[in-house]
Amino acid sequence: DYYAGFSVNNVMQLINAIQPPPPKFAEGDLIHGKNNKRAQREGIANCTGLVIKVWSDSQYDILWNDTGTINSYYHERDLKLVE
């Protein structure tokens, strides 16, 4: 059987494994989907939404303004804060 296991390649990965960094967005933040390949595949590119719940692993429940649906999303690098 294959088991990927867990390994770290540098000190920052070890620190983040022990104490993950805080979430990038807070509840109530207005966010916008960036225009990159992953966001386009997920259908959130150039969409605006409201963060309604932040989970412990930087996963977010987002109410998307364009569709009116609530989805869980967790790639912080595909989202940006609306200023």
Side-chain angles (χ1 to χ4, degrees):
D1 291 346
Y2 174 75
Y3 179 70
F6 176 79
S7 64
V8 293
N9 296 325
N10 61 43
V11 174
M12 281 308 296
Q13 288 177 343
L14 178 62
I15 291 170
N16 289 341
I18 295 169
Q19 178 64 43
K24 187 174 178 181
F25 307 108
E27 291 181 12
D29 282 350
L30 191 62
I31 56 153
H32 189 75
K34 291 182 180 176
N35 191 15
N36 59 27
K37 282 185 178 180
R38 183 176 32 242
Q40 289 173 357
R41 278 195 308 267
E42 295 286 337
I44 65 161
N46 299 320
C47 293
T48 303
L50 182 69
V51 177
I52 56 174
K53 182 163 176 99
V54 179
W55 299 91
S56 61
D57 57 353
S58 295
Q59 182 174 343
Y60 306 95
D61 284 351
I62 301 171
L63 172 62
W64 294 105
N65 190 31
D66 304 349
T67 60
T69 58
I70 297 174
N71 292 2
S72 291
Y73 199 76
Y74 56 90
H75 294 290
E76 290 181 334
R77 60 188 172 268
D78 295 339
L79 304 170
K80 61 182 176 181
L81 192 61
V82 174
E83 298 178 11

